[in-house]
Amino acid sequence: SYELTQPPSVSVAPGKTASITCGGNNIGSRRVQWYQQKPGQAPVSVVYDNSDRSSGIPERFSGSNSGNTATLTITRVEAGDEADYHCQVWDSSSDHWVFGGGTRLTVL
Amino acid sequence: QVQLVQSGPEVKMPGSSVKVSCKTSGDNFNTYTMSWVRQAPGQGLEWMGNIIPMLETPDYAQKFQDRVTITADESTTTVYMELSSLRFDDTAVYYCARIIGQSFDHWGQGTLVSVSS
């Protein structure tokens, strides 16, 4: 089965840029989604189809995908961006949905 | 405006079953893919299965194939997830979500299922 690998944690100072990676075998050939999840809340879609922002998501959030790594980039990080971020793809070989393990973004 | 409203928290004994509901609002209930995803305490998201209400044929993750049943009631635009033979490690928050394309674009608020003796 297809697997996605995320770093458990990423830390960034306010106003700086955070990059959260999602690794998978030839993930560049797939469409990657990203979800933000704050404590005690349901996930919220932030990026879909690799780089399209979901409705209401600031332009500070962007996505890219190439080779074996997809990346969610958050510029001018704010305290309110502190959350868990999950990547996700659809695995065509099994017709199933796959999530990464999630990355905790900490704003210093 | 799409809204997914789930049933309340449950406490269950090991070996029993739980059935969680997800009431949807918005258009075209029958044609969207509705999914269930769970999250154990401190863990990531885990896809369990899908159903397209119009087709009534669910698709399950292999891990849950023998224990999960996903159904849909078109008359009430509600989807259900029933998990049987509950174990302690089934303690988790269970979410319903709507899939558009390959993205889970709307989520329910989550239902905590606690398995305890």
Side-chain angles (χ1 to χ4, degrees):
Chain A
S1 61
Y2 193 75
E3 293 186 357
L4 297 174
T5 302
Q6 297 183 240
S9 63
V10 168
S11 299
V12 63
K16 300 299 186 181
T17 297
S19 295
I20 300 172
T21 59
C22 177
N25 184 31
N26 197 26
I27 195 174
S29 66
R30 301 172 186 263
R31 291 151 66 181
V32 178
Q33 282 60 240
W34 292 93
Y35 304 90
Q36 177 192 69
Q37 185 180 29
K38 296 184 178 179
Q41 298 184 18
V44 171
S45 175
V46 294
V47 167
Y48 64 96
D49 290 351
N50 297 324
S51 58
D52 290 333
R53 270 186 310 278
S54 298
S55 176
I57 301 302
E59 292 183 5
R60 300 184 297 104
F61 288 79
S62 63
S64 62
N65 185 17
S66 179
N68 293 319
T69 305
T71 303
L72 175 69
T73 302
I74 310 171
T75 59
R76 302 185 302 281
V77 167
E78 303 173 357
D81 298 331
E82 191 162 275
D84 292 331
Y85 291 86
H86 308 270
C87 61
Q88 170 258 313
V89 300
W90 175 64
D91 179 20
S92 58
S93 64
S94 62
D95 195 22
H96 288 169
W97 274 255
V98 179
F99 289 92
T103 297
R104 173 70 52 88
L105 177 67
T106 300
V107 181
L108 301 171
Chain B
Q1 182 179 354
V2 176
Q3 281 193 307
L4 308 179
V5 180
Q6 299 183 219
S7 50
E10 302 265 11
V11 179
K12 294 292 183 179
M13 298 280 287
S16 67
S17 298
V18 67
K19 190 170 186 177
V20 182
S21 67
C22 173
K23 167 71 175 173
T24 74
S25 62
D27 295 335
N28 301 318
F29 168 79
N30 287 344
T31 60
Y32 287 124
T33 300
M34 298 300 299
S35 187
W36 287 92
V37 176
R38 79 175 187 180
Q39 186 173 36
Q43 302 300 309
L45 302 171
E46 183 174 32
W47 176 73
M48 300 180 68
N50 289 345
I51 191 168
I52 301 175
M54 181 173 65
L55 300 181
E56 298 184 351
T57 304
D59 185 23
Y60 302 131
Q62 189 166 7
K63 174 178 179 178
F64 301 102
Q65 185 81 34
D66 296 335
R67 297 197 296 136
V68 71
T69 303
I70 296 175
T71 55
D73 184 338
E74 295 179 45
S75 67
T76 60
T77 62
T78 301
V79 291
Y80 299 90
M81 185 283 300
E82 184 171 20
L83 188 63
S84 63
S85 302
L86 288 170
R87 307 186 288 249
F88 293 117
D89 63 0
D90 289 319
T91 294
V93 176
Y94 290 76
Y95 295 101
C96 64
R98 187 183 78 168
I99 295 178
I100 297 289
Q102 295 183 12
S103 175
F104 295 72
D105 75 329
H106 283 84
W107 296 70
Q109 82 276 20
T111 297
L112 176 62
V113 175
S114 300
V115 182
S116 174
S117 56

